[in-house]
Amino acid sequence: MEELDVEPAITNIPAASDGKHLGFAWGPGDILAYETLYMAPGMCAKGSGCSFIHEVRKDEDIYSPILRKLFNESHHIFVGLQTIREDLPSKNKKTQFVSISKNYRSVIRACMEELQQVAASVLVLQVSILLAIELIWNLCEVLFIDAAPAGPLLLHLLDWVRLHKGDVDEKAREVLQSESPAEHHDYWDVVVSYVLQGRFEEARQMLVKQATLQPAARNMYKLMDTLLSKMPFYNPGGTQTLTEFDVKWRHWHEEVDRCLQDNSFASNQHLEIICKILVGDEDTLLEHKELLSTWYHFLVTRLLFCHPTVKPTELHYYAQSCMTMFLDLRSVPEPLDSILLAAFEFDIHQVIKDCSIALNNWWFVAHLTDLLDHCKLLQSHNLHFGSNLREFLLLEYASGLFTHHSLWQLAVDYFDNCPEFGHVYLELQIERVPLDTERKALKVLRICEQRQMSEQVRSICKIMAMRALRNNRLGSALSWSIRAKDAAFATLISERFLQDYCARGTFSDLDLIDNLGPAMLLSDRLTFLVKYREFHKLYEENRFSEAAKLLLSLITAKIAPRSFWMTLLTDALPLLEQKEVSHSAHCALHCGFGHDLCFSGRVQLGEAELKDNSGTK
């Protein structure tokens, strides 16, 4: 097991040299560092200084393709956890919580195995951190989530050690695949390792191979086989009580001790060592530090052979003594040691605090705390600034996700499940998402609309409308302005449509204009644009009478821009020549134009053109 505190390579920032001061600005996911102009008293300026701004990222893991799978998969588990009903019976909920915890651990292990397959030294740190995370999570599952009582507790701890001490199986495969396994140099290491982990069935199978090579010592091997086979293990699903198991175990322990006192294995050094281990001899256990490798493996082995009915409340005493006995007096406990010790002391808040300091991101503490909170194990712990521990850690984790170009979408669900400050955080973070494409903008917009974030909806729509207008994409600009319900901007874009029509004689984005429906009422100018386009459709379909009435209504409503009046006059001239247009419509068009054009100083020009084209006074 690599240590948790493996340090990444140090990168020096070439700023603030020669006594100059370093300035910095905090960002949502990084820090900007730069050299300032401030000079200490008595210092003289040297050269032009550093002209660069350095970006220091505080969470590099979100940029790892493999670890992104961890974030994505755990997001699904997190969302599922939030749906567990509060009214379920405690027993049913506990089963679900244990299952969810195992799902989290399986995702961690899958990412860890994938990282191990990539032969790159830069990934060593990530692998070691994931190993530590899975180790801590598994222990928390055993002690807090599953919360096994005395008896089953030891079985769970044995499974915990076996899962995280996989080198025994690798060494065993190597031994068994050799020509003569019993003569392999690692043979006895494998046998002793099996015994230290309480895997007596595998140890007995290995000992059979040695017994066949030593017929004279067959009775000795048979006695050891009997001792291993008779060691009792507590079965929580059976009818045996814990007291009955304790009596049976003590009888077995006395029998092993008698064999040791009778020198039954004195002629075989290896079997005598195994017998001493079975009786729980501490000196013998400590002589096999290399096979145990960690103090917590030593702890579980010591409990197995000395205190198999240990109670949860007694764990901290044995954990502290085992760590003291196992570690060198001169060595300082690593962060991982302190975290595991806090777990054995059932101080879950200290575990979370130490993990927050030791680990390089918020993923672990956020998800573990959320699960523990659902298990009602953190209800009494609230923070001074208004949010509980669960929400604080989820907010920190989600804020980090928002700095990534795609993971920000996962963060939305985390904010949604923070009832106190989640909505406020989401409003602040969603504004920082770069709207690189229209598709991404629509995605952000949908999120805001679903959560009634009206201010953010308007902001996004205005940004996209302005961008479309700068690129002369009038249809898209109009669509975004309508979505923002921005009457002023819709008016501006409608005038651009009309200007384009005057310049080119045709409309662009006809599908949009023809299908605006009630949205055209957002502004008078937009209404005029839609109705003017409708007039053209009627004219193209030779429905001159209806076209004349619509044109008349546009003139009398006075919603057309003054610069467009002459265009309307020009459109009216052909209608005056059509027989289908009624006499009343003719008169109305004359009167309408005569009344309106006087305001523009164009009455004489209008009357002259009318006389020339229609012959009517």
Side-chain angles (χ1 to χ4, degrees):
M1 169 80 192
E2 288 87 353
E3 295 298 344
L4 180 63
D5 64 336
V6 176
E7 293 292 339
I10 295 175
T11 303
N12 292 316
I13 301 175
S17 57
D18 298 326
K20 295 181 182 178
H21 282 228
L22 181 70
F24 62 90
W26 293 96
D30 50 24
I31 304 171
L32 296 181
Y34 52 89
E35 189 178 284
T36 68
L37 295 176
Y38 174 82
M39 296 294 296
M43 295 290 293
C44 298
K46 297 179 181 179
S48 59
C50 180
S51 59
F52 296 101
I53 294 177
H54 301 272
E55 180 184 16
V56 184
R57 288 175 176 168
K58 66 179 181 181
D59 188 359
E60 276 291 303
D61 285 350
I62 62 173
Y63 299 98
S64 165
I66 296 174
L67 290 181
R68 280 206 296 274
K69 295 180 182 178
L70 172 68
F71 302 138
N72 279 301
E73 293 297 326
S74 58
H75 164 259
H76 296 305
I77 302 171
F78 170 83
V79 172
L81 174 58
Q82 314 310 310
T83 63
I84 293 181
R85 296 191 350 250
E86 288 291 328
D87 58 350
L88 281 177
S90 298
K91 187 177 181 181
N92 292 355
K93 283 200 287 189
K94 179 180 176 180
T95 304
Q96 285 186 294
F97 291 147
V98 172
S99 175
I100 287 170
S101 179
K102 290 179 178 177
N103 288 341
Y104 274 126
R105 289 198 294 112
S106 67
V107 171
I108 297 170
R109 293 195 74 84
C111 289
M112 187 167 56
E113 290 166 5
E114 192 169 348
L115 282 169
Q116 287 172 330
Q117 291 173 2
V118 180
S121 58
V122 72
L123 300 179
V124 172
L125 176 64
Q126 292 179 345
V127 172
S128 67
I129 289 173
L130 285 179
L131 279 167
I133 284 175
E134 209 275 331
L135 178 75
I136 299 166
W137 191 302
N138 196 352
L139 182 60
C140 290
E141 180 185 303
V142 170
L143 299 179
F144 301 106
I145 301 169
D146 203 356
L153 174 60
L154 179 59
L155 298 178
H156 290 317
L157 289 174
L158 280 170
D159 290 337
W160 174 62
V161 164
R162 291 166 185 168
L163 182 62
H164 298 279
K165 197 72 174 62
D167 60 333
V168 179
D169 295 312
E170 293 175 14
K171 196 179 289 185
R173 278 193 295 270
E174 186 181 329
V175 169
L176 292 172
Q177 290 171 1
S178 64
E179 293 182 4
S180 179
E183 296 177 342
H184 194 280
H185 64 277
D186 285 331
Y187 169 81
W188 284 108
D189 281 352
V190 170
V191 175
V192 173
S193 295
Y194 277 147
V195 174
L196 291 171
Q197 290 189 6
R199 299 167 65 177
F200 295 154
E201 198 59 42
E202 290 99 322
R204 291 170 62 197
Q205 292 173 8
M206 293 293 285
L207 286 173
V208 169
K209 299 182 182 301
Q210 190 67 236
T212 56
L213 294 179
Q214 301 180 36
R218 186 166 297 172
N219 290 334
M220 196 184 304
Y221 280 97
K222 188 175 182 180
L223 176 60
M224 177 56 71
D225 184 75
T226 302
L227 292 177
L228 291 172
S229 65
K230 288 172 67 176
M231 180 178 177
F233 283 90
Y234 181 73
N235 180 14
T239 57
Q240 189 181 48
T241 65
L242 192 60
T243 304
E244 290 171 340
F245 163 76
D246 187 49
V247 171
K248 187 176 181 181
W249 181 86
R250 289 182 185 279
H251 285 314
W252 171 84
H253 193 267
E254 290 170 2
E255 183 180 350
V256 176
D257 193 45
R258 277 196 305 272
C259 291
L260 191 61
Q261 299 303 324
D262 295 344
N263 295 318
S264 300
F265 303 104
S267 60
N268 189 310
Q269 176 192 0
H270 298 294
L271 294 182
E272 188 175 36
I273 288 173
I274 293 174
C275 190
K276 287 181 179 180
I277 291 173
L278 293 179
V279 86
D281 184 72
E282 289 180 354
D283 292 334
T284 305
L285 291 175
L286 289 171
E287 286 171 4
H288 292 83
K289 277 187 176 182
E290 287 188 9
L291 298 181
L292 290 167
S293 73
T294 61
W295 67 267
Y296 45 89
H297 188 181
F298 171 54
L299 164 67
V300 177
T301 301
R302 186 183 173 200
L303 294 176
L304 173 65
F305 297 117
C306 300
H307 311 283
T309 57
V310 63
K311 297 176 182 177
T313 53
E314 300 169 338
L315 269 180
H316 70 94
Y317 164 74
Y318 293 114
Q320 182 65 66
S321 64
C322 285
M323 188 172 78
T324 304
M325 293 167 63
F326 193 87
L327 296 179
D328 192 296
L329 293 175
R330 292 169 296 178
S331 61
V332 179
E334 304 289 351
L336 178 60
D337 300 324
S338 301
I339 293 167
L340 295 178
L341 189 60
F344 284 121
E345 291 172 351
F346 286 86
D347 189 349
I348 187 59
H349 297 111
Q350 190 63 41
V351 171
I352 294 169
K353 179 181 177 182
D354 290 347
C355 287
S356 299
I357 296 170
L359 298 174
N360 63 341
N361 65 64
W362 296 103
W363 180 90
F364 172 75
V365 288
H367 289 87
L368 179 62
T369 303
D370 174 60
L371 181 54
L372 293 172
D373 187 75
H374 278 82
C375 296
K376 306 298 182 185
L377 295 171
L378 296 171
Q379 294 304 302
S380 62
H381 193 81
N382 289 313
L383 304 179
H384 296 297
F385 44 83
S387 175
N388 60 36
L389 182 60
R390 170 193 174 271
E391 180 160 321
F392 169 74
L393 294 172
L394 287 176
L395 291 172
E396 288 296 320
Y397 172 66
S399 297
L401 291 180
F402 249 98
T403 65
H404 192 269
H405 64 88
S406 63
L407 293 178
W408 66 270
Q409 298 171 75
L410 307 182
V412 175
D413 286 322
Y414 290 95
F415 285 139
D416 283 345
N417 287 285
C418 294
E420 194 161 353
F421 296 123
H423 192 77
V424 176
Y425 267 68
L426 181 58
E427 287 179 339
L428 294 172
Q429 294 287 353
I430 204 81
E431 293 176 350
R432 294 171 172 159
V433 177
L435 306 176
D436 306 318
T437 63
E438 194 155 312
R439 181 181 176 185
K440 188 173 181 180
L442 287 169
K443 196 175 291 184
V444 176
L445 186 67
R446 197 175 305 115
I447 289 170
C448 295
E449 288 175 339
Q450 290 169 351
R451 290 156 183 81
Q452 288 80 48
M453 297 162 60
S454 55
E455 189 61 38
Q456 284 70 26
V457 168
R458 282 193 293 271
S459 175
I460 293 165
C461 291
K462 286 180 179 179
I463 291 169
M464 296 306 294
M466 186 62 72
R467 185 181 299 173
L469 186 61
R470 282 199 300 266
N471 295 326
N472 206 34
R473 294 170 54 234
L474 298 182
S476 178
L478 180 59
S479 179
W480 282 110
S481 64
I482 290 171
R483 220 164 167 168
K485 296 181 173 59
D486 189 334
F489 206 70
T491 298
L492 174 66
I493 297 168
S494 300
E495 289 183 349
R496 282 286 300 273
F497 267 106
L498 295 173
Q499 289 170 12
D500 274 16
Y501 171 77
C502 291
R504 298 188 301 170
T506 57
F507 282 110
S508 59
D509 300 285
L510 293 179
D511 287 341
L512 174 65
I513 298 173
D514 290 344
N515 295 284
L516 280 180
M520 69 176 179
L521 300 176
L522 181 61
S523 78
D524 288 347
R525 197 72 80 244
L526 182 58
T527 304
F528 172 77
L529 173 67
V530 174
K531 288 299 181 181
Y532 184 63
R533 162 61 187 158
E534 187 180 331
F535 158 74
H536 272 273
K537 286 177 69 178
L538 292 172
Y539 192 89
E540 290 168 4
E541 294 168 3
N542 296 326
R543 296 159 63 183
F544 300 120
S545 180
E546 294 173 59
K549 291 176 181 177
L550 179 55
L551 185 62
L552 178 61
S553 66
L554 291 177
I555 296 169
T556 55
K558 299 181 181 178
I559 58 175
R562 295 197 175 207
S563 59
F564 210 75
W565 284 0
M566 288 305 296
T567 304
L568 292 178
L569 173 60
T570 307
D571 289 330
L573 298 181
L575 289 175
L576 297 175
E577 298 174 353
Q578 301 297 328
K579 295 179 181 179
E580 291 89 342
V581 179
S582 64
H583 179 73
S584 60
H586 276 90
C587 296
L589 284 172
H590 277 295
C591 295
F593 271 113
H595 179 267
D596 289 336
L597 290 174
C598 69
F599 289 100
S600 63
R602 295 174 180 165
V603 177
Q604 293 180 352
L605 174 62
E607 287 182 350
E609 290 188 2
L610 284 170
K611 289 177 182 178
D612 292 341
N613 287 281
S614 64
T616 308
K617 295 182 181 179

